[in-house]
Amino acid sequence: MEHYDVETFQENQSNFEYYFITQHKIKYFLKFSSAAYLFSSQCLSCSNIFDFSFYPERKSIPDPKVFTTIIKLILEFIEKHQCPIIFVCDDTDQKGPARLRLFKQKATNFEDKFLFQDLIISGDYSLYIGIFSHISDANFFNYLAELDLEDII
């Protein structure tokens, strides 16, 4: 899997930020932060879930190494911290379904080590949510049911 080298931007207990620079000199920022706010307060196992987001510093150019770098970092983060990663695919440009499909497609390459599940919430504004976790996560199939949708929508 060809990828870019990722550098640490900053880390603390609840936020982990990284970046990489593409061959086109576009810097991407990647962030993992506590996602406890997305879940009902009764879900004790949800307190260790991290939210993932990323963005380029300027308009990006199609580059297949960008997505493989992102997937590689997510999987390494899960391994290192033994925690699930949840993400909400941005749909302001109507590309949310395609982004979620891409994550899902990549997840099938790692089914022997990681679990993936998705949820699509349709309404006035549609949400495309995905979650990755280590295959040994006994609570994995409960997480999406514990989402506090009122806080998300």
Short mmCIF file of all heavy atoms in Angstrom, two decimals, residues 94-144:
data_model
loop_
_atom_site.label_atom_id
_atom_site.label_comp_id
_atom_site.label_asym_id
_atom_site.label_seq_id
_atom_site.Cartn_x
_atom_site.Cartn_y
_atom_site.Cartn_z
N GLN A 94 -22.28 16.90 -1.50
CA GLN A 94 -23.01 15.72 -1.98
C GLN A 94 -22.09 14.52 -2.28
O GLN A 94 -22.45 13.64 -3.06
CB GLN A 94 -23.89 16.02 -3.21
CG GLN A 94 -25.14 16.81 -2.91
CD GLN A 94 -24.86 18.28 -2.63
OE1 GLN A 94 -24.14 18.93 -3.36
NE2 GLN A 94 -25.43 18.80 -1.56
N LYS A 95 -20.92 14.47 -1.65
CA LYS A 95 -20.00 13.35 -1.85
C LYS A 95 -19.91 12.45 -0.62
O LYS A 95 -19.07 11.58 -0.55
CB LYS A 95 -18.61 13.87 -2.23
CG LYS A 95 -18.57 14.53 -3.59
CD LYS A 95 -17.17 14.97 -3.95
CE LYS A 95 -17.16 15.66 -5.31
NZ LYS A 95 -15.82 16.14 -5.65
N GLY A 96 -20.79 12.67 0.35
CA GLY A 96 -20.80 11.86 1.57
C GLY A 96 -20.96 10.37 1.29
O GLY A 96 -20.20 9.55 1.83
N PRO A 97 -21.94 9.98 0.45
CA PRO A 97 -22.11 8.55 0.16
C PRO A 97 -20.86 7.93 -0.49
O PRO A 97 -20.47 6.82 -0.16
CB PRO A 97 -23.30 8.50 -0.79
CG PRO A 97 -24.02 9.77 -0.58
CD PRO A 97 -22.99 10.78 -0.17
N ALA A 98 -20.22 8.67 -1.37
CA ALA A 98 -19.02 8.16 -2.05
C ALA A 98 -17.87 8.01 -1.05
O ALA A 98 -17.12 7.03 -1.11
CB ALA A 98 -18.62 9.08 -3.19
N ARG A 99 -17.75 8.96 -0.13
CA ARG A 99 -16.69 8.87 0.89
C ARG A 99 -16.90 7.65 1.78
O ARG A 99 -15.97 6.90 2.06
CB ARG A 99 -16.66 10.14 1.73
CG ARG A 99 -16.14 11.34 1.01
CD ARG A 99 -16.04 12.56 1.93
NE ARG A 99 -15.56 13.69 1.16
CZ ARG A 99 -16.33 14.62 0.63
NH1 ARG A 99 -17.64 14.58 0.79
NH2 ARG A 99 -15.81 15.60 -0.08
N LEU A 100 -18.14 7.45 2.22
CA LEU A 100 -18.43 6.30 3.07
C LEU A 100 -18.19 4.99 2.32
O LEU A 100 -17.61 4.05 2.86
CB LEU A 100 -19.88 6.36 3.57
CG LEU A 100 -20.28 5.28 4.56
CD1 LEU A 100 -19.41 5.31 5.81
CD2 LEU A 100 -21.75 5.42 4.92
N ARG A 101 -18.59 4.95 1.06
CA ARG A 101 -18.37 3.76 0.23
C ARG A 101 -16.88 3.45 0.10
O ARG A 101 -16.46 2.30 0.15
CB ARG A 101 -19.02 3.97 -1.14
CG ARG A 101 -19.33 2.72 -1.90
CD ARG A 101 -20.22 2.93 -3.13
NE ARG A 101 -20.07 4.18 -3.86
CZ ARG A 101 -20.93 5.21 -3.79
NH1 ARG A 101 -22.01 5.13 -3.03
NH2 ARG A 101 -20.73 6.30 -4.51
N LEU A 102 -16.07 4.48 -0.04
CA LEU A 102 -14.62 4.30 -0.16
C LEU A 102 -14.03 3.72 1.13
O LEU A 102 -13.22 2.80 1.09
CB LEU A 102 -13.97 5.64 -0.51
CG LEU A 102 -12.52 5.63 -0.95
CD1 LEU A 102 -12.28 4.67 -2.12
CD2 LEU A 102 -12.09 7.03 -1.35
N PHE A 103 -14.45 4.26 2.28
CA PHE A 103 -13.99 3.71 3.56
C PHE A 103 -14.41 2.25 3.70
O PHE A 103 -13.62 1.40 4.10
CB PHE A 103 -14.57 4.51 4.74
CG PHE A 103 -13.76 5.71 5.10
CD1 PHE A 103 -14.20 6.99 4.80
CD2 PHE A 103 -12.55 5.57 5.77
CE1 PHE A 103 -13.46 8.11 5.15
CE2 PHE A 103 -11.80 6.69 6.14
CZ PHE A 103 -12.26 7.97 5.82
N LYS A 104 -15.65 1.98 3.34
CA LYS A 104 -16.17 0.61 3.45
C LYS A 104 -15.39 -0.35 2.54
O LYS A 104 -15.04 -1.46 2.92
CB LYS A 104 -17.66 0.62 3.08
CG LYS A 104 -18.40 -0.63 3.40
CD LYS A 104 -19.88 -0.42 3.11
CE LYS A 104 -20.71 -1.53 3.66
NZ LYS A 104 -22.13 -1.26 3.54
N GLN A 105 -15.12 0.10 1.34
CA GLN A 105 -14.37 -0.69 0.37
C GLN A 105 -12.97 -1.02 0.90
O GLN A 105 -12.50 -2.15 0.82
CB GLN A 105 -14.28 0.12 -0.92
CG GLN A 105 -13.86 -0.63 -2.14
CD GLN A 105 -13.94 0.32 -3.35
OE1 GLN A 105 -13.38 1.43 -3.32
NE2 GLN A 105 -14.65 -0.10 -4.38
N LYS A 106 -12.29 -0.04 1.46
CA LYS A 106 -10.94 -0.25 2.02
C LYS A 106 -10.99 -1.16 3.23
O LYS A 106 -10.08 -1.95 3.46
CB LYS A 106 -10.28 1.08 2.38
CG LYS A 106 -9.93 1.92 1.18
CD LYS A 106 -8.80 1.29 0.40
CE LYS A 106 -8.39 2.18 -0.75
NZ LYS A 106 -7.39 1.58 -1.62
N ALA A 107 -12.06 -1.06 4.02
CA ALA A 107 -12.18 -1.88 5.24
C ALA A 107 -12.21 -3.37 4.91
O ALA A 107 -11.70 -4.18 5.68
CB ALA A 107 -13.43 -1.48 6.02
N THR A 108 -12.76 -3.72 3.77
CA THR A 108 -12.84 -5.15 3.41
C THR A 108 -11.45 -5.75 3.21
O THR A 108 -11.29 -6.96 3.34
CB THR A 108 -13.69 -5.38 2.14
OG1 THR A 108 -13.10 -4.67 1.05
CG2 THR A 108 -15.13 -4.92 2.35
N ASN A 109 -10.44 -4.93 2.94
CA ASN A 109 -9.08 -5.43 2.79
C ASN A 109 -8.46 -5.85 4.12
O ASN A 109 -7.41 -6.49 4.12
CB ASN A 109 -8.17 -4.36 2.15
CG ASN A 109 -8.60 -4.02 0.74
OD1 ASN A 109 -9.18 -4.83 0.03
ND2 ASN A 109 -8.33 -2.79 0.34
N PHE A 110 -9.09 -5.47 5.23
CA PHE A 110 -8.51 -5.73 6.55
C PHE A 110 -9.48 -6.47 7.47
O PHE A 110 -9.39 -6.37 8.69
CB PHE A 110 -8.10 -4.39 7.18
CG PHE A 110 -7.14 -3.62 6.34
CD1 PHE A 110 -7.60 -2.60 5.51
CD2 PHE A 110 -5.79 -3.93 6.33
CE1 PHE A 110 -6.71 -1.88 4.71
CE2 PHE A 110 -4.91 -3.23 5.53
CZ PHE A 110 -5.36 -2.21 4.71
N GLU A 111 -10.40 -7.23 6.89
CA GLU A 111 -11.42 -7.92 7.68
C GLU A 111 -10.84 -8.92 8.67
O GLU A 111 -11.51 -9.28 9.63
CB GLU A 111 -12.41 -8.64 6.75
CG GLU A 111 -13.30 -7.71 6.00
CD GLU A 111 -14.19 -8.42 5.00
OE1 GLU A 111 -13.74 -9.41 4.38
OE2 GLU A 111 -15.35 -7.99 4.85
N ASP A 112 -9.62 -9.37 8.45
CA ASP A 112 -9.02 -10.33 9.36
C ASP A 112 -8.52 -9.68 10.66
O ASP A 112 -8.29 -10.36 11.65
CB ASP A 112 -7.86 -11.07 8.68
CG ASP A 112 -6.76 -10.13 8.21
OD1 ASP A 112 -7.07 -8.97 7.82
OD2 ASP A 112 -5.59 -10.55 8.22
N LYS A 113 -8.40 -8.33 10.69
CA LYS A 113 -7.89 -7.64 11.87
C LYS A 113 -8.81 -6.55 12.40
O LYS A 113 -8.71 -6.18 13.57
CB LYS A 113 -6.53 -7.00 11.56
CG LYS A 113 -5.43 -8.00 11.28
CD LYS A 113 -4.14 -7.30 10.95
CE LYS A 113 -3.50 -6.81 12.23
NZ LYS A 113 -2.18 -6.21 12.03
N PHE A 114 -9.70 -6.03 11.53
CA PHE A 114 -10.52 -4.89 11.93
C PHE A 114 -11.98 -5.10 11.54
O PHE A 114 -12.28 -5.78 10.56
CB PHE A 114 -10.00 -3.60 11.27
CG PHE A 114 -8.60 -3.28 11.69
CD1 PHE A 114 -7.52 -3.66 10.91
CD2 PHE A 114 -8.36 -2.61 12.87
CE1 PHE A 114 -6.23 -3.38 11.30
CE2 PHE A 114 -7.07 -2.33 13.27
CZ PHE A 114 -5.99 -2.71 12.49
N LEU A 115 -12.86 -4.47 12.31
CA LEU A 115 -14.29 -4.50 12.03
C LEU A 115 -14.71 -3.13 11.49
O LEU A 115 -14.15 -2.11 11.86
CB LEU A 115 -15.06 -4.79 13.32
CG LEU A 115 -14.76 -6.12 14.00
CD1 LEU A 115 -15.34 -6.14 15.41
CD2 LEU A 115 -15.31 -7.27 13.18
N PHE A 116 -15.72 -3.13 10.63
CA PHE A 116 -16.25 -1.88 10.08
C PHE A 116 -17.76 -1.99 10.04
O PHE A 116 -18.33 -3.03 9.71
CB PHE A 116 -15.73 -1.62 8.67
CG PHE A 116 -16.31 -0.38 8.05
CD1 PHE A 116 -15.80 0.87 8.35
CD2 PHE A 116 -17.39 -0.46 7.19
CE1 PHE A 116 -16.35 2.02 7.80
CE2 PHE A 116 -17.94 0.69 6.63
CZ PHE A 116 -17.41 1.93 6.94
N GLN A 117 -18.42 -0.91 10.40
CA GLN A 117 -19.88 -0.85 10.32
C GLN A 117 -20.24 0.57 9.91
O GLN A 117 -19.53 1.53 10.23
CB GLN A 117 -20.46 -1.18 11.70
CG GLN A 117 -21.92 -1.53 11.70
CD GLN A 117 -22.38 -1.99 13.07
OE1 GLN A 117 -21.79 -1.65 14.10
NE2 GLN A 117 -23.42 -2.77 13.10
N ASP A 118 -21.37 0.72 9.20
CA ASP A 118 -21.79 2.05 8.81
C ASP A 118 -23.27 2.26 9.09
O ASP A 118 -24.01 1.33 9.33
CB ASP A 118 -21.47 2.35 7.35
CG ASP A 118 -22.19 1.43 6.37
OD1 ASP A 118 -22.81 0.45 6.80
OD2 ASP A 118 -22.13 1.69 5.16
N LEU A 119 -23.64 3.53 9.09
CA LEU A 119 -25.01 3.93 9.36
C LEU A 119 -25.30 5.15 8.50
O LEU A 119 -24.50 6.09 8.45
CB LEU A 119 -25.17 4.28 10.85
CG LEU A 119 -26.50 4.83 11.31
CD1 LEU A 119 -27.60 3.77 11.19
CD2 LEU A 119 -26.40 5.32 12.75
N ILE A 120 -26.45 5.13 7.83
CA ILE A 120 -26.87 6.27 7.03
C ILE A 120 -28.17 6.78 7.63
O ILE A 120 -29.14 6.02 7.80
CB ILE A 120 -27.07 5.89 5.55
CG1 ILE A 120 -25.74 5.38 4.98
CG2 ILE A 120 -27.61 7.07 4.75
CD1 ILE A 120 -25.87 4.75 3.61
N ILE A 121 -28.18 8.05 7.97
CA ILE A 121 -29.37 8.68 8.54
C ILE A 121 -29.88 9.68 7.52
O ILE A 121 -29.18 10.65 7.19
CB ILE A 121 -29.05 9.37 9.87
CG1 ILE A 121 -28.47 8.35 10.85
CG2 ILE A 121 -30.29 10.04 10.44
CD1 ILE A 121 -27.85 8.97 12.07
N SER A 122 -31.06 9.45 7.00
CA SER A 122 -31.62 10.32 5.96
C SER A 122 -32.66 11.25 6.56
O SER A 122 -33.40 10.87 7.47
CB SER A 122 -32.26 9.49 4.85
OG SER A 122 -31.28 8.70 4.24
N GLY A 123 -32.71 12.43 6.05
CA GLY A 123 -33.66 13.43 6.50
C GLY A 123 -33.41 14.70 5.73
O GLY A 123 -32.96 14.66 4.58
N ASP A 124 -33.70 15.85 6.36
CA ASP A 124 -33.41 17.14 5.72
C ASP A 124 -31.93 17.22 5.37
O ASP A 124 -31.55 17.80 4.36
CB ASP A 124 -33.78 18.30 6.64
CG ASP A 124 -35.29 18.40 6.84
OD1 ASP A 124 -36.03 17.83 6.00
OD2 ASP A 124 -35.71 19.01 7.83
N TYR A 125 -31.11 16.68 6.25
CA TYR A 125 -29.67 16.62 6.03
C TYR A 125 -29.26 15.18 6.31
O TYR A 125 -29.53 14.66 7.38
CB TYR A 125 -28.95 17.58 6.99
CG TYR A 125 -27.46 17.56 6.81
CD1 TYR A 125 -26.85 18.24 5.76
CD2 TYR A 125 -26.65 16.86 7.69
CE1 TYR A 125 -25.48 18.21 5.59
CE2 TYR A 125 -25.27 16.84 7.53
CZ TYR A 125 -24.69 17.52 6.48
OH TYR A 125 -23.34 17.49 6.31
N SER A 126 -28.64 14.53 5.35
CA SER A 126 -28.24 13.14 5.52
C SER A 126 -26.88 13.03 6.18
O SER A 126 -25.99 13.85 5.93
CB SER A 126 -28.21 12.41 4.17
OG SER A 126 -29.52 12.36 3.64
N LEU A 127 -26.73 12.02 7.03
CA LEU A 127 -25.46 11.75 7.70
C LEU A 127 -24.95 10.39 7.27
O LEU A 127 -25.71 9.42 7.22
CB LEU A 127 -25.62 11.76 9.22
CG LEU A 127 -25.90 13.10 9.87
CD1 LEU A 127 -26.18 12.90 11.36
CD2 LEU A 127 -24.73 14.04 9.68
N TYR A 128 -23.67 10.32 7.00
CA TYR A 128 -23.02 9.07 6.59
C TYR A 128 -21.93 8.79 7.61
O TYR A 128 -20.92 9.49 7.66
CB TYR A 128 -22.45 9.22 5.17
CG TYR A 128 -23.54 9.58 4.19
CD1 TYR A 128 -23.86 10.91 3.94
CD2 TYR A 128 -24.28 8.58 3.57
CE1 TYR A 128 -24.90 11.24 3.08
CE2 TYR A 128 -25.31 8.91 2.70
CZ TYR A 128 -25.61 10.24 2.46
OH TYR A 128 -26.64 10.57 1.61
N ILE A 129 -22.19 7.80 8.45
CA ILE A 129 -21.32 7.52 9.60
C ILE A 129 -20.69 6.15 9.44
O ILE A 129 -21.35 5.18 9.07
CB ILE A 129 -22.16 7.55 10.90
CG1 ILE A 129 -22.83 8.92 11.05
CG2 ILE A 129 -21.29 7.21 12.11
CD1 ILE A 129 -23.89 8.98 12.12
N GLY A 130 -19.40 6.07 9.75
CA GLY A 130 -18.69 4.80 9.73
C GLY A 130 -17.92 4.62 11.02
O GLY A 130 -17.57 5.61 11.69
N ILE A 131 -17.67 3.38 11.39
CA ILE A 131 -16.88 3.11 12.59
C ILE A 131 -15.97 1.92 12.33
O ILE A 131 -16.39 0.93 11.74
CB ILE A 131 -17.78 2.91 13.84
CG1 ILE A 131 -16.94 2.82 15.11
CG2 ILE A 131 -18.70 1.71 13.68
CD1 ILE A 131 -17.76 2.99 16.39
N PHE A 132 -14.70 2.06 12.73
CA PHE A 132 -13.69 1.01 12.64
C PHE A 132 -13.31 0.60 14.06
O PHE A 132 -13.25 1.45 14.95
CB PHE A 132 -12.38 1.55 12.03
CG PHE A 132 -12.34 1.65 10.54
CD1 PHE A 132 -12.52 2.86 9.92
CD2 PHE A 132 -12.05 0.53 9.77
CE1 PHE A 132 -12.43 2.97 8.55
CE2 PHE A 132 -11.97 0.63 8.39
CZ PHE A 132 -12.15 1.85 7.78
N SER A 133 -12.99 -0.66 14.25
CA SER A 133 -12.44 -1.10 15.53
C SER A 133 -11.62 -2.36 15.32
O SER A 133 -11.70 -3.01 14.28
CB SER A 133 -13.56 -1.36 16.54
OG SER A 133 -12.99 -1.54 17.83
N HIS A 134 -10.85 -2.70 16.35
CA HIS A 134 -10.06 -3.93 16.31
C HIS A 134 -11.02 -5.12 16.36
O HIS A 134 -12.08 -5.05 16.99
CB HIS A 134 -9.10 -3.97 17.50
CG HIS A 134 -8.02 -4.97 17.33
ND1 HIS A 134 -8.16 -6.26 17.73
CD2 HIS A 134 -6.80 -4.87 16.75
CE1 HIS A 134 -7.07 -6.93 17.43
NE2 HIS A 134 -6.22 -6.10 16.83
N ILE A 135 -10.67 -6.20 15.71
CA ILE A 135 -11.54 -7.38 15.62
C ILE A 135 -11.87 -7.98 17.00
O ILE A 135 -12.89 -8.62 17.17
CB ILE A 135 -10.94 -8.44 14.67
CG1 ILE A 135 -12.02 -9.41 14.22
CG2 ILE A 135 -9.74 -9.13 15.31
CD1 ILE A 135 -11.67 -10.19 12.98
N SER A 136 -11.04 -7.70 18.00
CA SER A 136 -11.27 -8.25 19.33
C SER A 136 -12.21 -7.39 20.19
O SER A 136 -12.47 -7.72 21.35
CB SER A 136 -9.93 -8.42 20.06
OG SER A 136 -9.33 -7.14 20.25
N ASP A 137 -12.74 -6.31 19.66
CA ASP A 137 -13.61 -5.39 20.41
C ASP A 137 -14.97 -6.04 20.66
O ASP A 137 -15.81 -6.13 19.77
CB ASP A 137 -13.77 -4.08 19.64
CG ASP A 137 -14.52 -3.01 20.40
OD1 ASP A 137 -15.23 -3.33 21.37
OD2 ASP A 137 -14.39 -1.84 20.02
N ALA A 138 -15.21 -6.48 21.89
CA ALA A 138 -16.45 -7.19 22.24
C ALA A 138 -17.69 -6.29 22.19
O ALA A 138 -18.81 -6.79 22.08
CB ALA A 138 -16.31 -7.79 23.64
N ASN A 139 -17.52 -4.99 22.27
CA ASN A 139 -18.66 -4.06 22.28
C ASN A 139 -18.97 -3.47 20.91
O ASN A 139 -19.89 -2.67 20.78
CB ASN A 139 -18.37 -2.91 23.25
CG ASN A 139 -18.21 -3.38 24.65
OD1 ASN A 139 -19.09 -4.04 25.19
ND2 ASN A 139 -17.08 -3.08 25.27
N PHE A 140 -18.21 -3.84 19.90
CA PHE A 140 -18.29 -3.18 18.60
C PHE A 140 -19.71 -3.04 18.05
O PHE A 140 -20.10 -1.97 17.60
CB PHE A 140 -17.41 -3.90 17.57
CG PHE A 140 -17.47 -3.26 16.22
CD1 PHE A 140 -16.81 -2.07 15.98
CD2 PHE A 140 -18.20 -3.82 15.19
CE1 PHE A 140 -16.87 -1.44 14.74
CE2 PHE A 140 -18.26 -3.21 13.94
CZ PHE A 140 -17.60 -2.02 13.73
N PHE A 141 -20.49 -4.09 18.08
CA PHE A 141 -21.79 -4.04 17.43
C PHE A 141 -22.84 -3.29 18.24
O PHE A 141 -23.99 -3.16 17.81
CB PHE A 141 -22.26 -5.46 17.07
CG PHE A 141 -21.38 -6.07 16.00
CD1 PHE A 141 -20.40 -6.99 16.33
CD2 PHE A 141 -21.49 -5.67 14.68
CE1 PHE A 141 -19.57 -7.53 15.36
CE2 PHE A 141 -20.66 -6.19 13.69
CZ PHE A 141 -19.70 -7.13 14.04
N ASN A 142 -22.47 -2.72 19.37
CA ASN A 142 -23.38 -1.92 20.19
C ASN A 142 -23.18 -0.41 19.99
O ASN A 142 -24.05 0.38 20.32
CB ASN A 142 -23.19 -2.24 21.67
CG ASN A 142 -23.47 -3.68 21.97
OD1 ASN A 142 -24.36 -4.29 21.39
ND2 ASN A 142 -22.69 -4.26 22.86
N TYR A 143 -22.04 -0.01 19.47
CA TYR A 143 -21.70 1.41 19.43
C TYR A 143 -22.69 2.26 18.64
O TYR A 143 -23.15 3.30 19.12
CB TYR A 143 -20.30 1.64 18.86
CG TYR A 143 -19.20 1.07 19.71
CD1 TYR A 143 -18.15 0.37 19.12
CD2 TYR A 143 -19.18 1.23 21.09
CE1 TYR A 143 -17.12 -0.15 19.90
CE2 TYR A 143 -18.17 0.70 21.87
CZ TYR A 143 -17.14 0.02 21.27
OH TYR A 143 -16.13 -0.49 22.02
N LEU A 144 -23.02 1.88 17.42
CA LEU A 144 -23.90 2.72 16.60
C LEU A 144 -25.28 2.87 17.22
O LEU A 144 -25.91 3.91 17.09
CB LEU A 144 -23.98 2.19 15.17
CG LEU A 144 -22.70 2.34 14.35
CD1 LEU A 144 -22.89 1.78 12.94
CD2 LEU A 144 -22.22 3.78 14.28
#
